[in-house]
Amino acid sequence: MAHDAAGRLAAETALAMLDAMFEQSPIGLHLLDTALRVVRVNTATPAMRGLAADELTGRPAREVYDMVDADVEALLNEVLDTGVPVLGRIVRARVDGDPRDYEVTALRLHSPHGPVLGVAVAVVDVTARERARARADVLDAVRRGVGLTLDPTVTGEEFVTAVVPAFADVAVVEVVDAVIRGNDPPLAPLPPGTPLMRTAFGSSRTHPPQAPLVGDVCGLPVPTPFTQALADLRPRVVPLDAAAPWLSVDPARAETIRSTQAHSLLVVPLALRDAALGLVSLYRAGQSPAFDPGDQELAVELAAHTALCIDNARRYSREHTVAATVQRQLLPRRPETHAWLEAAYLSLTGANPGAWYDTIALSSARTALVVGNVSGHGLNAAATMGQLRTAVRSLATFDLPPEELLARMHGTAGQLAAERANLPLADPLRREALTADCVYAVHDPLTGTCTLAAAGDLTPLVVRPDATVAVPATTAGPRLGTAQDAPFAACEVEVPDGSVLVFTSDPILTSYLAEVSGPLPLAPHLRDRTLQDLCDALVYALPADLGIGDAAVLVARTRSFPPERYAAWQLDPDPAAVAVARRRTRERLAAWDVDDETADDTLLIISELVTNAVRYGSPPIELRLILDRSLTCEVRDAGSASPHLRHAGAAEEGGRGLFIAAQLAQAWGTRYAAPGKTIWTEQTLPPVP
């Protein structure tokens, strides 16, 4: 008897504890039978479908739970069938019309003898926690995905991608048009009618046809929540009631709102230091909950990050515009085309302020071609580029061989790098190394060759008339401005008439163009196509995933010099050679129909130069005449002594030869090549009547 009494007491205690648990538990408890009808619930169970907790008993689960994104019957039937409990499943249900998040744990119940009794369900309202997690995810997505580029329009698109549909059903980004163009953002309040550009639009639904197109620029009608947010730079949560008076001020936007069925609007200004960069408009539509103060706080943080990214892009755009302007002023509008070398310039993926190209007319119908690239970016790179381009042009006037010119450029760049390293500690430019790649080539149409040298990895390509591509075997010297002091080496390649030379400032592009399957070998009729057409064909053939940066390309086509327009004679190292040189020159000038005055001056120049070569030079001696846009006279000898211009005194009998030649010629100079040197003069020919 005592044992039975103890058992009854234990059972009564267990039932009392069960009742106490259902009455006092802070979480919702549900017992359902095998037909998924409610057997018992506790007072912590939220009201479902407008029913109180005591009204739920006996009702099927499908009538009790107003699920938003899950099928409760399917979930519980799976537990009954498999016996596998559901632990911590997040489901969303609607309570009094308000979607809320619940963490659900369900397990199958068995009697002591084995039959299945039903399902026990524990429900915890985790709406606040899940909303906080969702907001944190949105904030993380914006921080990771917005600002990846320095383009304000792309920044808006990144923002819309991050917040739709995770935070809003519709998102619109509008930026002050002046900010898009790199100008400083205006201080708030914005003047009425300030133009804004719609840079991004995103919707979780089909794009409504009434929505303004991305890229439209227009002012905002006044007054609306949008203009008010741009006036005081404060966010606003606005219920979208069809009777709102401000909707009549902006009929186009009102129609868009109606077409999306939006019911809640969150307007957040894109602001930075009391200046207005633009506006973010977020909408929720359909069954989505209205924006609350927590959403507004999050949106302010999202807009602050986006505004900072847009301002960074604006600053970059402005600096890029200034640097591009400086570059345009420092570079020729187009490569100079010479009689025996046609050139065209191409810029890929935008202008690189540190890249430069040049064609320089040299003596004896030769042309120098230059392509270079300075490290760094922005205005500093453009300024350094201008310095190096000027140095190259200055050294080119001395007719230096390519390898010697680059060696002198290496010293010049080293001096500029040392000056930069000695800048004040607070100057950020001090921490940027100054280096440059450069390739310098000289085309000689008389010999059909091109002599070149490179600093860095810039190797030109030679496309011969048969469309075969050759990569000159150049030995790359050190980059200009580095501490390396290795010597530069030059190589000579043959470039037959009609060959195409391709110089690029990006080694990746050069490697691609040199491939057998690249666009250059496959380009037909190189001789007949215009260079501009060839440049366009190169752009069309480049794959999008090549990974090149801003690259400058110089394309040149060679032409042979007509043999009837130049003459060369070997002279004996004897004073009588002067008369021979004068006679042959007179005959050639007469054949070329050169005017008498120019012919007389040429004969005097030849007399003086040949006399100096015979008296002070070493054999062999060669005289060469070249008829181009000007008349060039060259006298070569094997001597290494450098002539210099001197002013002879009144009583001196000699010393006036080079002075006379310099007075009669438009330009003159000395060019060294193994063995010996060449003294040349150029005379301007009178225009043909």
Side-chain angles (χ1 to χ4, degrees), residues 6 18 77 118 162 204 320 359 393 414 498 519 560 629:
L18 181 62
N77 273 321
S204 58
H320 183 75
T359 58
R393 291 191 70 91
S560 296
R629 289 177 295 183

Side-chain angles (χ1 to χ4, degrees), residues 516-553:
V516 176
S517 59
L520 288 177
L522 301 180
H525 313 300
L526 286 176
R527 180 187 295 271
D528 301 329
R529 301 180 73 174
T530 65
L531 285 185
Q532 192 60 56
D533 185 24
L534 181 57
C535 289
D536 291 343
L538 291 179
V539 174
Y540 301 150
L542 294 180
D545 59 348
L546 188 56
I548 62 174
D550 296 338
V553 181

Side-chain angles (χ1 to χ4, degrees), residues 12-358:
E12 292 174 356
T13 301
L15 290 174
M17 294 177 65
L18 181 62
D19 292 339
M21 182 182 69
F22 267 82
E23 293 175 358
Q24 301 173 20
S25 173
I27 65 174
L29 300 175
H30 305 243
L31 295 178
L32 294 87
D33 61 17
T34 54
L36 297 183
R37 291 187 298 264
V38 176
V39 175
R40 186 174 183 181
V41 297
N42 67 339
T43 56
T45 297
M48 300 290 184
R49 294 190 185 274
L51 300 174
D54 55 358
E55 297 177 315
L56 301 178
T57 304
R59 294 181 179 271
R62 62 179 175 275
E63 297 181 5
V64 173
Y65 304 107
D66 189 5
M67 306 302 295
V68 175
D69 58 0
D71 184 351
V72 67
E73 277 198 345
L75 180 68
L76 298 179
N77 273 321
E78 183 180 354
V79 174
L80 282 174
D81 294 340
T82 64
V84 178
V86 171
L87 303 176
R89 177 80 60 87
I90 303 297
V91 298
R92 176 166 292 186
R94 191 173 287 103
V95 179
D96 297 330
D98 181 23
R100 300 191 65 81
D101 295 311
Y102 295 95
E103 186 177 80
V104 175
T105 298
L107 66 154
R108 189 170 67 180
L109 299 178
H110 301 264
S111 69
H113 305 291
V116 177
L117 300 177
V119 180
V121 182
V123 180
V124 180
D125 190 336
V126 292
T127 303
R129 186 191 75 187
E130 290 303 309
R131 289 185 180 178
R133 178 185 297 175
R135 288 168 180 163
D137 291 342
V138 171
L139 180 60
D140 182 61
V142 169
R143 287 175 173 172
R144 287 186 293 104
V146 177
L148 301 180
T149 66
L150 291 173
D151 187 332
T153 58
V154 176
T155 299
E157 296 171 358
E158 293 169 341
F159 175 84
V160 166
T161 301
V163 301
V164 176
F167 183 65
D169 296 312
V170 178
V172 181
V173 179
E174 296 166 291
V175 181
V176 175
D177 187 51
V179 172
I180 294 290
R181 290 182 275 110
N183 296 334
D184 291 331
L187 295 176
L190 292 189
T194 300
L196 283 82
M197 175 186 288
R198 170 167 289 198
T199 62
F201 176 93
S203 174
S204 58
R205 305 184 177 192
T206 304
H207 193 303
Q210 299 89 349
L213 297 176
V214 171
D216 283 358
V217 179
C218 60
L220 298 178
V222 180
T224 63
F226 313 101
T227 57
Q228 292 300 104
L230 290 174
D232 58 16
L233 300 183
R234 294 182 180 277
R236 284 166 171 76
V237 174
V238 182
L240 295 177
D241 185 356
W246 63 269
L247 288 175
S248 61
V249 178
D250 193 348
R253 199 178 296 257
E255 181 60 29
T256 301
I257 291 173
R258 282 191 290 269
S259 66
T260 57
Q261 300 180 350
H263 58 76
S264 183
L265 166 65
L266 176 53
V267 183
V268 187
L270 295 170
L272 196 65
R273 296 182 291 275
D274 296 328
L277 288 83
L279 194 69
V280 168
S281 304
L282 304 171
Y283 299 86
R284 284 183 178 170
Q287 301 298 325
S288 299
F291 290 108
D292 58 26
D295 295 327
Q296 177 177 308
E297 183 178 351
L298 172 63
V300 170
E301 195 165 355
L302 302 180
H305 176 81
T306 305
L308 183 61
C309 294
I310 291 176
D311 189 62
N312 288 339
R314 175 193 67 82
R315 292 174 180 272
Y316 171 79
S317 298
R318 181 171 63 182
E319 182 178 354
H320 183 75
T321 301
V322 173
T325 302
V326 172
Q327 183 194 41
R328 285 195 299 270
Q329 298 300 321
L330 294 176
L331 290 179
R333 296 300 183 193
R334 59 184 57 86
E336 183 180 353
T337 295
H338 305 278
W340 316 113
L341 188 77
E342 179 188 6
Y345 168 70
L346 174 65
S347 177
L348 297 175
T349 69
N352 179 4
W356 87 90
Y357 64 91
D358 218 341

Side-chain angles (χ1 to χ4, degrees), residues 412-451:
T412 300
Q415 293 177 355
L416 295 176
E419 293 177 1
R420 178 177 292 189
N422 290 326
L423 290 172
L425 293 176
D427 194 328
L429 186 60
R430 175 190 175 103
R431 297 186 293 272
E432 295 183 13
L434 191 160
T435 59
D437 297 327
C438 182
V439 57
Y440 182 85
V442 176
H443 171 246
D444 189 343
L446 277 72
T447 61
T449 60
C450 185
T451 306

Side-chain angles (χ1 to χ4, degrees), residues 613-628:
V614 170
R615 180 175 298 179
Y616 305 110
S618 302
I621 300 174
E622 183 184 45
L623 168 64
R624 189 163 69 164
L625 300 178
I626 303 171
L627 182 64
D628 195 7

